[in-house]
Structures are given as C-alpha cells and as structure tokens.
Amino acid sequence: MAFLTSRQSWLDKQSSSAPPCITQASYLDAEQIMLAGKSYTLRVLENQSCNRIVLEHEQIVLLMVTDMSLRQRTALFDAWYRINLASRIEPLLHYWQRIMAQEISTWSIMKMKSRWGSCNTRKRSILFNLELAKLSDCLLEYVVVHELAHLIEPSHNHVFKSVVEHFLPDWKGRKAMLRKHIINY
Ligand SMILES: [Zn+2]
C-alpha cells in the first residue's frame, strides 16, 4: 500500500504514543502537543521576530513576539494544524479516488466536536475534522476511505462495510483505534 511501509506495526505505534482524549490545549511551555499520531513537547519562546510555530528536533516550538492569549495561540495552532492536515489529506485523496474509482468535487477542513468526517454524496464533497491533524496517517487514511465509500453506498449498511473491507481489509482495527480518540472540550 502506498502510505504505510509497515502495516504490522501501526497498532503498536498508536497505542504507545497517542493519548486517546483530545482536549483543549493551553499551549504553555512543556505541554505535550499531538501531531500526526505523535506527542511532542511544546517550547514557548518570547521576544521573537514574528509569531509562528516550527517543528524541530522532536519539539514543537511556539515563537512569539510578545505573550499571546489562549485565543491567539489557539488560532495560530489551528492554522498550523490545518496546513499540516491538508498536506496529508491531499495525497491520500489523490490515491484513494483513483483506487476506488470515485471522484469528489471539493473537500474542506472544519473544527468539529462530534464527527471525524462527513460526505455530501449529492455534491460529492467531503468535510474533514481539523482534529484529525493530531492523529496518525493510518487513522486519517481510514477516514478518507470511509468517506469515499459513501459515494458508493451512502448508509452504513452491509454493502458499505463490504466496500470498506474490500479496500481496507484492516479497517476494523483502525476504526476501533479511532473510536478511542474522544474529542473532549
Ligand atoms: Zn460514515
């Protein structure tokens, strides 16, 4: 498969690195920050030339001109997560639309509390939850295939399940892992 070099180990990686509950972060120094299924220590630095976030040496660094409020930090992180998530969704959609012989018209990212994704089958558009940026490619891939499968079968019936099963034989493990991640804020 195109996006996972080792399918055997993804479950181990998931369970060892990803705390399941997604909560509202405070974005304070030394806090653990999730990105793509991994936990990073946040470093916060003031008196910088601009406000930005960088990932370096296994740390996420928040550079600030002056102290930022939680609202400002959250807005900056949301924008950063959005760019990260979009860059990971793009190749997955490209690949799976071809494999599943389904084409979408548009897709977008939104912060949602109750759903990982949704598919408007009439418009052939898919909406992804911004919080997926915190989860691994493996779980993101499951959401992509799940939503594309709705273009073949809109409801969660046995036809739908057989479609997902056909393209992602290990979908049950991924779904179970995804369900452990509860958005709690
Ligand atoms: Zn669904």
Side-chain angles (χ1 to χ4, degrees):
M1 286 294 191
F3 293 98
L4 291 170
T5 48
S6 169
R7 291 208 162 225
Q8 290 81 6
S9 65
W10 76 260
L11 241 166
D12 304 336
K13 278 187 206 152
Q14 285 295 312
S15 50
S16 63
S17 64
C21 237
I22 293 176
T23 53
Q24 168 65 53
S26 307
Y27 301 116
L28 299 173
D29 194 65
E31 194 172 325
Q32 290 300 303
I33 298 288
M34 290 298 303
L35 175 72
K38 274 182 73 179
S39 185
Y40 295 88
T41 302
L42 178 65
R43 289 289 160 229
V44 179
L45 302 174
E46 275 187 61
N47 302 316
Q48 304 298 308
S49 58
C50 62
N51 297 327
R52 66 190 182 107
I53 299 161
V54 290
L55 175 63
E56 56 179 26
H57 311 303
E58 297 297 304
Q59 285 186 341
I60 291 172
V61 187
L62 169 60
L63 304 163
M64 308 185 297
V65 179
T66 55
D67 192 20
M68 293 167 78
S69 67
L70 174 60
R71 183 186 287 247
Q72 290 170 318
R73 292 177 196 219
T74 302
L76 193 63
F77 266 93
D78 283 356
W80 181 71
Y81 274 128
R82 187 177 288 269
I83 290 166
N84 173 277
L85 182 59
S87 74
R88 291 162 58 209
I89 287 174
E90 183 78 51
L92 284 166
L93 274 178
H94 183 78
Y95 176 80
W96 283 107
Q97 282 181 101
R98 189 166 52 82
I99 297 295
M100 297 171 76
Q102 296 298 319
E103 242 182 87
I104 56 169
S105 56
T106 56
W107 61 276
S108 53
I109 295 170
M110 217 174 100
K111 210 169 184 178
M112 297 184 280
K113 288 186 181 176
S114 58
R115 292 185 297 182
W116 292 113
S118 66
C119 179
N120 184 323
T121 53
R122 192 175 52 80
K123 292 182 180 167
R124 300 186 79 81
S125 65
I126 297 178
L127 185 59
F128 295 97
N129 191 333
L130 179 62
E131 299 292 2
L132 284 166
K134 296 173 184 171
L135 308 186
S136 68
D137 282 346
C138 181
L139 301 188
L140 182 56
E141 185 175 44
Y142 167 70
V143 176
V144 167
V145 172
H146 178 112
E147 300 308 338
L148 285 173
H150 277 311
L151 297 174
I152 300 168
E153 171 54 55
S155 62
H156 294 126
N157 59 15
H158 69 281
V159 176
F160 176 83
K161 281 177 185 159
S162 68
V163 169
V164 177
E165 174 97 30
H166 174 74
F167 291 110
L168 271 190
D170 64 352
W171 68 279
K172 281 183 185 159
R174 300 188 197 215
K175 186 182 175 185
M177 193 55 68
L178 187 62
R179 286 176 89 105
K180 288 186 181 176
H181 293 276
I182 296 159
I183 299 170
N184 188 12
Y185 60 78

